[in-house]
Amino acid sequence: MAAKRIPTIVKKIIAEATDVHAKIRRKSKPQMKLPIRSLSNVKYRPKTGYFQLLGKNKVRTLTVGTVKTFAQTLKMLAMSKDLVETGRHSTKREAYYQAYNWAEASFVAQEESDTVMDDVEAMLGVNREQMNFRADEHGGEVAGELIVIDRDRRTGKPIEIDCTAFGSGAYSVPTVVEELKFKTSAKFILAVETKGMFERLVEEDFYDKYHCILVSMGGVPSRACRRFIRRLADDKKLPVYVFTDGDPYGYFNIYRTLKVGSGNAAHLNEYLCVPQARFLGVSPQDIIDYDLPTHPLKDVDIKRANDAMKNDPFIRHYKVWQKAIEKMLKMGVRVEQQALAKHGLEFVATKYLPEKLKQINSFLP
Amino acid sequence: MAAKRIPTIVKKIIAEATDVHAKIRRKSKPQMKLPIRSLSNVKYRPKTGYFQLLGKNKVRTLTVGTVKTFAQTLKMLAMSKDLVETGRHSTKREAYYQAYNWAEASFVAQEESDTVMDDVEAMLGVNREQMNFRADEHGGEVAGELIVIDRDRRTGKPIEIDCTAFGSGAYSVPTVVEELKFKTSAKFILAVETKGMFERLVEEDFYDKYHCILVSMGGVPSRACRRFIRRLADDKKLPVYVFTDGDPYGYFNIYRTLKVGSGNAAHLNEYLCVPQARFLGVSPQDIIDYDLPTHPLKDVDIKRANDAMKNDPFIRHYKVWQKAIEKMLKMGVRVEQQALAKHGLEFVATKYLPEKLKQINSFLP
């Protein structure tokens, strides 16, 4: 067999371990350096387009008090190396149970092993999927003008998955998307909040008529879904338009998370967020323009909106977002994307989206 | 164009409407008959294998007091007829918004329109998916030795979807599966609780080695997921084995719902439940046999288990289930399916499942 290329992640792990080993041989205290993971160590950088770490680190030195965590961190690195080398992936839950055999270094609860995994992730400056760890979550669904190139595990050969060939079904995105490649002639990606709206657009042949790729996020997009959109958009230089309910949950929990990431996982935003995303709708202005039925804002909606106006670095950066939120608060209502069905089931596909797509410059940033 | 076959559901709707129309012409009061939807009108029938209606009906007569609901029910029937004839589907949310144009018959809230949809469903004795209504939910994922035959909406031609050809991804089941057809040489269906375990088995080439179809339910299976498994199992005469966590949630909320359905939707169990399902594991006995790490039962687990022993007609019917639950309560612990990873990531695929599959007769009913 030809000499195999050592994956970057394995090189990083070996470098960390070699450093610790060398220090021990020199009888000095080994150290591990980890970025501090909190909002205090985060800044919104409009240029790169997401929350970024400010660079404050904590240093973990091997002492009597840290010996268990230190050992766990090294064991977790070893587990990751093993996974990458065997081509396997492990969920967080599985990692926790595998660690049952670490004797004194085993974990008391899964929260403990999750924290160590987060530490390792931040330490190496990668997302855990690159270390062959994965979350146990739904990765989103895809239909449209896209061919995903994956690998057949049995033969090792590339396989092409044609996302126009699923009929009324869809391609379900795996939890780890690092190795996927893409072929497409689509003009944009349309990320949709609900499965119901996704299936509406599939049923209306929307992706055919407008040459796009539809992604169903199923509420707040999972890591895999965000990473999938990001990799696809980067690789194929595609714009990303986001279509959610017109309420604080759609604006902040879904859109904001997709675009710039979140504060407590800032070390990952580099990989997981989609800075090229723009907000298509449903906007507060759409309620007026399209005469849409609404529901009154709930107390929690109002609180969430006021919080964002005050504290969210992303909203505070964009005047147009502040104006949109102010308009929503003044109108006192929220709107669901399905409200467009008032004008007929096909309205969203034949009128609303086509009209919006003619004025992309008016999308919220 | 050749004369089109009138779909059964449209015939049923026309029959209902004709009846109402004739009564009005005769100047007598039109009536609609609906089965009572509650546990008091339900029985567990081991022979058919699911909760069934006892046959008590309520009769809705057109009066001043019922005129609005009466009108809404007829309009809902008309909407369904229109959907079936145009080949469109409508979510419950979309149906609610379409009804904004029903003037005095429009709904005040979505709960109202959902209730009328449930009424119509029970009245016609069909599941709402047959009326081209659909829920806005995730339909489950599939990988393995199965070809799904769907229809290309643009050309109307059948398309074959090969569920072995998605690499690390999967086929995402649409919310309406009524028209799907299947080709398979698989020996059984394995329905799995978590996406993580599903991906583990895909990664271990399990479906290849054991000639099966893997379905990820993602927790409590959605209507679409249940209906998909049921139609596939009926059509291809396949046994269905279920693999969940070993806790009351896995036993009752997931397995029991999949197999016999639930009480408050008894008029649907005929279509949605999977009577051929059998419980593979993880069972309380497996904890001992495979030396698995556990967690203590939570109070809510204990309450749920005691409730089921006392009130659940399904559990009360099966001594072996009662014994299993008693064993769990006595041991005081629950177990996650990922606990098998203690013996190595591949253990579930190379040892646990193969051993269990050799003694299918010992599966819980």
XYZ file of all heavy atoms in Angstrom, chain A residues 278-280 283 320 355-356 358-365:
127
model
N -28.504 36.092 3.812
C -29.294 37.316 3.862
C -30.755 36.952 4.117
O -31.224 35.894 3.704
C -29.142 38.116 2.563
C -27.734 38.706 2.433
C -27.555 39.459 1.133
N -28.441 40.610 1.039
C -28.175 41.830 1.512
N -27.023 42.057 2.116
N -29.034 42.809 1.362
N -31.470 37.852 4.799
C -32.823 37.535 5.233
C -33.862 37.960 4.206
O -34.106 39.147 3.997
C -33.108 38.204 6.583
C -34.392 37.729 7.186
C -34.457 36.500 7.841
C -35.548 38.486 7.092
C -35.642 36.042 8.388
C -36.744 38.031 7.637
C -36.785 36.809 8.284
N -34.497 36.964 3.585
C -35.491 37.219 2.545
C -36.830 37.645 3.149
O -37.494 38.565 2.673
C -35.653 35.940 1.707
C -36.654 35.950 0.563
C -36.176 35.048 -0.572
C -38.039 35.506 1.007
N -40.695 39.556 6.561
C -40.330 40.745 7.323
C -41.594 41.462 7.791
O -42.672 41.243 7.237
C -39.505 41.687 6.439
O -40.330 42.205 5.410
N -30.828 48.809 9.892
C -32.025 48.291 9.213
C -32.698 47.189 10.014
O -33.920 47.061 10.013
C -31.733 47.790 7.778
C -31.727 48.961 6.813
C -30.437 47.011 7.704
N -41.263 37.827 -6.505
C -41.182 39.284 -6.326
C -40.020 39.659 -5.417
O -39.256 40.592 -5.707
C -42.500 39.820 -5.743
C -43.592 39.926 -6.795
C -44.876 40.560 -6.262
O -44.876 41.053 -5.101
O -45.869 40.560 -7.001
N -39.875 38.936 -4.309
C -38.782 39.228 -3.387
C -37.429 39.045 -4.074
O -36.513 39.842 -3.881
C -38.865 38.296 -2.173
C -40.098 38.456 -1.296
C -40.120 39.740 -0.477
C -39.215 39.672 0.724
N -39.472 40.800 1.671
N -36.579 39.558 -6.937
C -36.248 40.632 -7.878
C -35.616 41.825 -7.178
O -35.103 42.726 -7.816
C -37.512 41.079 -8.612
C -37.780 40.235 -9.846
C -38.965 40.764 -10.621
C -39.506 39.690 -11.550
N -40.958 39.782 -11.683
N -35.711 41.834 -5.834
C -35.151 42.988 -5.114
C -34.288 42.505 -3.951
O -34.516 42.853 -2.788
C -36.263 43.909 -4.610
C -37.612 43.248 -4.549
C -38.652 44.096 -3.870
O -38.348 45.017 -3.106
N -39.909 43.777 -4.108
N -33.294 41.733 -4.333
C -32.389 41.155 -3.341
C -31.722 42.226 -2.490
O -31.438 42.012 -1.307
C -31.349 40.272 -4.066
C -32.056 39.007 -4.573
C -30.198 39.888 -3.163
C -31.266 38.237 -5.592
N -31.502 43.393 -3.066
C -30.848 44.465 -2.310
C -31.661 44.934 -1.116
O -31.132 45.543 -0.194
C -30.552 45.657 -3.228
C -29.429 45.314 -4.179
O -28.617 44.426 -3.897
N -29.394 45.991 -5.320
N -32.964 44.656 -1.160
C -33.778 45.080 -0.021
C -33.873 44.003 1.061
O -34.529 44.192 2.073
C -35.183 45.457 -0.501
O -35.896 44.287 -0.847
N -33.218 42.860 0.868
C -33.182 41.831 1.922
C -32.484 42.405 3.152
O -31.555 43.207 3.030
C -32.409 40.594 1.473
C -33.139 39.748 0.466
C -34.392 40.099 -0.016
C -32.571 38.567 -0.001
C -35.061 39.309 -0.939
C -33.230 37.768 -0.925
C -34.478 38.148 -1.392
N -32.901 41.974 4.312
C -32.217 42.402 5.529
C -30.844 41.729 5.592
O -30.695 40.584 5.177
C -33.059 42.063 6.755
C -34.273 42.988 6.958
C -35.312 42.341 7.867
C -33.833 44.320 7.540
N -29.829 42.436 6.121
C -28.463 41.886 6.110
C -28.302 40.763 7.146
O -29.002 40.724 8.112
C -27.606 43.084 6.491
C -28.499 43.973 7.275
C -29.883 43.782 6.727
